[in-house]
Amino acid sequence: MKRAIGLLTIAVAAASATSMARTPAYKDTSIPLEQRVEDALSRMTTQEKINLIHAQSKFSSRGVPRLGIPDLWTDDGPHGVRPDVLWDEWDQAGQTNDSCVAFPALTCLAATWNPATSYLYGFSLGEEARYRGKDVILGPGVNIYRTPVNGRNFEYMGEDPYLAAKMVVPYIKGLQSNGVAACVKHFALNNNEVNRHTTNVIIDDRTLYEIYLPAFKAAVQEGGAWSIMGAYNLYRDEHLCHNSRMLNDILKKEWGFDGAVISDWGGTHDTKQAITNGLDLEFGSWTNGLSTGASNAYDSYYMARPYFNLISKGEYSTKELDDKVRRVLRLIMRTAMDHSKGEGSLCSEEHYEAARRIGNEGIVLLRNEGRVLPINPTKGKRILVVGENAIKMMTVGGGSSSLKVQHEISPLDGIREAAKNLGMDVEYARGYVGDVSGEYNGVVTGQNLKDDRSPAELIAEAVAKAKEADHVIFVGGLNKSSGQDCEDSDRAGLEPPYGQDDVIVALAKANPGLTVVNISGNAVAMPWADMVPSIVQAWFLGSEAGNSIADILFGKVNPSGKLPFTFPVRLADSPAHKLNAYPGTKRADSNIVDLEYKEGILVGYRWHDTKKIKPQFAFGHGLSYTDFKFGKATADKTLISEGETVTFTVPVTNTGSMAGAEVIQLYVSDPKCTVPRPVKELKGFSKVFLQPGETKEVKISIGRDALSYFDAENHEWVAEPGQFTASFGPSSDNIATTVKFTLK
Ligand code: BGC
């Protein structure tokens, strides 16, 4: 017996020694990535290479089974991990283990103005993706908010390239620290949904580089994103999923991107362009990307058999193919083949806490006349909540970002819970009926929101109850139905739908203690703003929506969110609409719609400031329950030479009685320049938490980048010598202190 054990031990040791000796280089994680990639590539047949660069199911692509290189599993993105659909159908797979935590929409994340919160977001989402076995999350999105009607603005990070760049980088780092790749989308110039497959964007280079590219560039160069998704639309008459300039020249050559370009689902249109114009991994061809699609069409993908045939005929060598395969191998090795990553976790307490915290930090207090908020029980204990959005589930709908959640706390439930703890009573009135449907891609909310009463009856009920109440909270805004905040459609206008204006005006007349909570990912018109003492911008907040909203309304949390985009008074005040530069003009001879970005660099507050058009609520605006005072800003030097940085110090004091956070925003102006420049541009910010009475000296440094414009003719960033102004304040329309400095 003893001897037998001894022999067995020797046999096992020998076997593991041979298997160690046989571990191929591509599997050996102690070897540098590039060597592993080359090793794997050298072992693959042409057919295996072709198999690697296109989908094999709705959301996965094939690895190399013979070599033990695993498949790659992608999933949406960007607010939670989407439930599984069938292998080759859009119907639900019917799993019982794919319910997730929905995090707040990216507009809310941007509104936190807190990069640390963005890391928490990406990290938590990455853990959920890990647990679900996903290698790539299709997000985050950083398309610039060009018009308030874009149905997908809620999935993006607002109108400012600097803010979006600063906020996207930590999300990517947090996500990828779990061995889950970000797939940053939709690269680029995908700024509206109407005609999304046929719009050809016409834009000058200065605008492209100053406004629409910086967040993507930061995602690649600072965030180290492992993949990028091409956009559906066109630029220079080429679809952006195979666009020579955008993908080859800018992304890969100029920025040195070494990851994989993934097509949007159904965004590939031509084999030869796909071969030469920078696409690496094709998904969703023969589908509409959302709900319909041909079955088992994978062999017919542009980068499948048709590509193989062109190589067989000698029309192409494997030069382009090898480059694509290298990039996809890198992606697989960084994710699916990273065996050091943890197991992840799903629906953990920490993830719910993270979701709630992000919501708390992103909610924006837009107005608070007479300090109606936070709700004060000493002013009476009867609360009336009105509005469909107080009860409607918002995690289902909106297109590909739709989720199947383990739970979603409605605003009404969140308010009820908080009120109960304070001994307050909550009544509810519907107020209006919007969209009672609750289904997306087979996920159903199970809510019955049907109500057949007329608008007049609903308003009468709400008004009668409002007269009896001490505090009235209207929860409305948009929802995730087509034509609102939803993929594949844009909004018809800026007005809130379903006659909500009438309900709000009636409530304002009935009760002086009205708060309007607007739930949306977009600006909405608020013609009643002056009549309503308190207005809160609450976004789509995911699983913990109701708790986050209640935390703010009852003052458990002091609001600190700041708008990541402008709320114009009317749609015509927005540059794209004022200049008739949306949605473009259809060509006579084809279905292509040419859309010229006529406003150029004057997007969002750059336009409003420069044209002196007062918005309803400005970019960067957001109030607190406490007060902050900015002291005089100073600079460590007022004369700087090229290559130097300047550091500003701004003392900020919490002069109120509640702890809270303020965002110190730094805008740079270049009043005398050979090219026209916006009045000012965001070039730095810092969020500080202050106890009552506390002062902090906030330091923000900027360098040449912050002073430069893009000289399109010479294709370079130029900082012209002369005097600049640095302006500091709590919002773009409230500058508290300025410093002048000179570039030599
Ligand atoms: C959307 C993408 C999404 C993809 C996969 C497309 O319709 O545009 O953002 O990631 O579908 O669901």
Side-chain angles (χ1 to χ4, degrees):
M1 187 62 190
K2 231 180 171 187
R3 183 168 160 73
I5 288 173
L7 275 179
L8 189 68
T9 316
I10 293 165
V12 170
S16 71
T18 10
S19 81
M20 286 277 288
R22 270 202 261 114
T23 299
Y26 67 91
K27 282 191 173 172
D28 184 347
T29 47
S30 66
I31 292 177
L33 179 67
E34 290 313 304
Q35 282 176 36
R36 294 173 61 205
V37 167
E38 289 310 317
D39 180 53
L41 184 76
S42 70
R43 295 166 192 259
M44 290 169 69
T45 65
T46 303
Q47 185 62 59
E48 283 170 335
K49 291 177 182 175
I50 291 284
N51 292 348
L52 197 83
I53 61 164
H54 61 84
Q56 61 171 351
S57 76
K58 288 280 178 271
F59 282 95
S60 76
S61 62
R62 202 181 311 177
V64 192
R66 181 178 64 85
L67 298 177
I69 294 177
D71 295 350
L72 190 74
W73 281 88
T74 72
D75 205 0
D76 288 293
H79 306 140
V81 189
R82 186 177 175 174
D84 293 329
V85 296
L86 290 171
W87 183 261
D88 191 31
E89 305 290 336
W90 287 100
D91 301 318
Q92 290 299 299
Q95 324 271 40
T96 52
N97 59 355
D98 59 353
S99 301
C100 67
V101 173
F103 297 92
L106 293 193
T107 34
C108 175
L109 177 62
T112 68
W113 291 58
N114 188 345
T117 303
S118 180
Y119 185 89
L120 173 72
Y121 192 123
F123 182 78
S124 310
L125 176 63
E127 287 194 324
E128 298 246 325
R130 263 308 308 127
Y131 193 84
R132 291 269 314 279
K134 308 299 181 193
D135 304 307
V136 180
I137 282 292
L138 304 173
V142 282
N143 294 91
I144 289 293
Y145 188 113
R146 175 174 181 260
T147 154
V149 299
N150 176 18
R152 279 191 105 167
N153 278 338
F154 73 100
E155 289 186 68
Y156 303 141
M157 296 197 182
E159 72 187 24
D160 184 73
Y162 181 83
L163 178 65
K166 285 292 161 213
M167 292 303 290
V168 76
V169 167
Y171 177 117
I172 296 167
K173 288 189 170 159
L175 180 68
Q176 294 192 164
S177 72
N178 286 286
V180 174
C183 183
V184 185
K185 64 196 190 183
H186 304 90
F187 189 62
L189 301 175
N190 185 184
N191 307 96
N192 53 260
E193 287 295 292
V194 157
N195 309 318
R196 63 178 181 165
H197 295 276
T198 50
T199 296
N200 178 53
V201 172
I202 299 164
I203 184 173
D204 62 86
D205 259 14
R206 179 173 174 206
T207 304
L208 178 67
Y209 275 79
E210 287 189 22
I211 305 291
Y212 294 94
L213 293 184
F216 286 104
K217 185 179 181 194
V220 168
Q221 295 192 333
E222 293 165 49
W226 292 333
S227 64
I228 274 231
M229 185 185 289
Y232 277 139
N233 52 302
L234 301 91
Y235 163 64
R236 294 193 173 180
D237 277 13
E238 275 174 11
H239 279 97
L240 281 151
C241 286
H242 31 68
N243 189 291
S244 170
R245 175 153 204 244
M246 206 65 89
L247 301 177
N248 286 340
D249 300 347
I250 297 176
L251 177 66
K252 292 181 176 174
K253 283 195 201 111
E254 264 183 52
W255 299 350
F257 176 65
D258 74 352
V261 174
I262 299 181
S263 73
D264 199 347
W265 271 229
T268 313
H269 301 273
D270 181 272
T271 297
K272 292 189 177 178
Q273 287 191 31
I275 295 173
T276 54
N277 293 357
L279 178 63
D280 301 311
L281 187 47
E282 178 186 2
F283 267 94
S285 295
W286 325 121
T287 80
N288 70 351
L290 283 177
S291 51
T292 60
S295 279
N296 288 310
Y298 305 103
D299 268 356
S300 311
Y301 270 38
Y302 296 95
M303 295 214 298
R305 202 184 321 109
Y307 191 0
F308 188 87
N309 291 344
L310 288 173
I311 291 178
S312 304
K313 280 195 276 175
E315 274 198 49
Y316 289 89
S317 71
T318 57
K319 179 172 155 266
E320 295 89 357
L321 178 61
D322 285 347
D323 180 60
K324 297 177 198 301
V325 171
R326 280 189 185 97
R327 290 170 181 275
V328 177
L329 283 172
R330 247 174 239 137
L331 181 58
I332 296 177
M333 288 179 185
R334 285 167 165 161
T335 57
M337 285 176 84
D338 173 2
H339 302 299
S340 70
K341 64 191 173 201
E343 291 303 323
S345 52
L346 191 64
C347 296
S348 68
E349 225 173 276
E350 289 81 5
H351 295 171
Y352 283 113
E353 261 172 37
R356 186 170 180 164
R357 200 172 118 194
I358 297 158
N360 284 341
E361 254 204 85
I363 292 174
V364 183
L365 180 62
L366 294 175
R367 181 177 155 89
N368 198 17
E369 286 303 301
R371 305 233 162 182
V372 164
L373 292 179
I375 289 172
N376 183 349
T378 64
K379 288 191 190 157
K381 300 220 172 217
R382 294 163 307 172
I383 300 174
L384 172 69
V385 176
V386 184
E388 183 169 287
N389 282 357
I391 54 172
K392 188 176 169 67
M393 271 184 80
M394 291 292 189
T395 52
V396 175
S400 56
S401 62
S402 183
L403 296 169
K404 176 171 132 191
V405 292
Q406 192 192 44
H407 77 236
E408 175 176 343
I409 311 280
S410 70
L412 181 59
D413 284 345
I415 291 169
R416 279 214 167 107
E417 182 64 24
K420 194 174 75 195
N421 297 335
L422 294 167
M424 301 176 83
D425 296 323
V426 179
E427 269 271 5
Y428 174 72
R430 180 66 173 265
Y432 68 94
V433 176
D435 188 334
V436 298
S437 65
E439 192 267 343
Y440 184 79
N441 239 188
V443 176
V444 290
T445 62
Q447 290 188 299
N448 181 1
L449 298 178
K450 205 164 131 38
D451 194 324
D452 291 329
R453 288 175 290 172
S454 70
E457 286 172 300
L458 293 166
I459 292 179
E461 183 205 26
V463 165
K465 287 184 173 176
K467 287 184 176 154
E468 301 299 312
D470 303 306
H471 316 267
V472 180
I473 305 165
F474 175 85
V475 188
L478 307 178
N479 57 35
K480 299 275 194 72
S481 304
S482 183
Q484 299 206 34
D485 281 329
C486 184
E487 180 176 342
D488 206 15
S489 63
D490 285 346
R491 296 161 68 202
L494 197 65
E495 297 69 34
Y498 316 127
Q500 291 177 72
D501 284 350
D502 295 343
V503 190
I504 294 169
V505 169
L507 289 174
K509 287 182 184 157
N511 192 308
L514 176 64
T515 295
V516 168
V517 177
N518 182 66
I519 294 184
S520 70
N522 254 320
V524 298
M526 297 183 173
W528 30 259
D530 289 345
M531 296 174 70
V532 176
S534 186
I535 306 175
V536 173
Q537 176 58 31
W539 321 112
F540 298 107
L541 296 172
S543 289
E544 289 289 301
N547 285 335
S548 293
I549 289 172
D551 287 345
I552 294 291
L553 294 181
F554 290 88
K556 187 172 168 193
V557 171
N558 194 348
S560 65
K562 300 279 181 177
L563 289 180
F565 52 80
T566 309
F567 272 55
V569 172
R570 58 188 76 76
L571 195 57
D573 288 353
S574 268
H577 300 272
K578 177 82 189 171
L579 301 176
N580 209 5
Y582 166 92
T585 314
K586 196 186 149 307
R587 289 186 195 165
D589 56 349
S590 76
N591 62 356
I592 302 292
V593 176
D594 285 313
L595 172 55
E596 189 183 347
Y597 285 11
K598 290 183 196 159
E599 70 285 2
I601 55 170
L602 296 183
V603 173
Y605 67 91
R606 289 167 166 78
W607 165 267
H608 283 265
D609 279 358
T610 307
K611 300 289 176 187
K612 299 196 169 62
I613 301 171
K614 206 173 143 31
Q616 184 75 56
F617 295 110
F619 173 80
H621 171 72
L623 305 172
S624 165
Y625 294 149
T626 190
D627 295 301
F628 298 99
K629 198 172 165 293
F630 282 57
K632 173 108 198 69
T634 51
D636 65 345
K637 44 180 125 34
T638 47
L639 190 61
I640 59 170
S641 6
E642 281 265 350
E644 276 187 332
T645 56
V646 50
T647 300
F648 303 99
T649 306
V650 192
V652 181
T653 308
N654 180 348
T655 56
S657 53
M658 191 173 177
E662 180 58 293
V663 179
I664 290 77
Q665 304 169 28
L666 157 56
Y667 295 88
V668 171
S669 317
D670 185 4
K672 264 196 213 138
C673 184
T674 47
V675 299
R677 301 198 69 172
V679 166
K680 63 181 187 298
E681 299 183 89
L682 184 76
K683 294 296 173 186
F685 62 87
S686 173
K687 190 169 193 171
V688 288
F689 294 81
L690 294 167
Q691 295 300 327
E694 192 187 2
T695 300
K696 273 187 187 156
E697 306 262 308
V698 179
K699 293 200 185 299
I700 306 179
S701 301
I702 56 171
R704 181 180 187 271
D705 286 6
L707 314 179
S708 308
Y709 67 88
F710 189 75
D711 174 353
E713 213 172 298
N714 297 307
H715 201 78
E716 63 183 10
W717 290 92
V718 175
E720 273 183 12
Q723 200 177 59
F724 291 81
T725 308
S727 306
F728 303 85
S731 79
S732 70
D733 66 345
N734 184 6
I735 296 307
T737 173
T738 59
V739 183
K740 292 199 188 319
F741 62 98
T742 303
L743 178 70
K744 265 195 245 170

